[in-house]
Amino acid sequence: MLSKRQLKELVLYSPQHIARLEKAGLFPLRVQLGPNRVGWVEEEVYDWLQKRLDCREVPNRHS
């Protein structure tokens, strides 16, 4: 599980933006761990990041 702090360091988005992405179905949903604690499944977040990397366009390099 990733904490809010760990998630922010990994994804580099604000908590507000992450919440908007979650609501839109564009980011893995948080898990309620306790009354004042949430976390994200690490594997789901890494899969989400990998999808972003896989979609990158490689610049056309001319030699």
Side-chain angles (χ1 to χ4, degrees), residues 38-59:
V38 295
W40 288 261
V41 178
E42 190 171 358
E43 184 176 332
E44 292 176 359
V45 174
Y46 279 113
D47 287 346
W48 180 87
L49 284 168
Q50 187 61 53
K51 287 177 186 173
R52 308 278 93 50
L53 292 172
D54 292 345
C55 291
R56 286 191 303 182
E57 289 188 22
V58 178

Side-chain angles (χ1 to χ4, degrees), residues 30-42:
R30 64 189 72 204
V31 176
Q32 191 73 41
L33 300 172
N36 299 311
R37 176 77 61 184
V38 295
W40 288 261
V41 178
E42 190 171 358

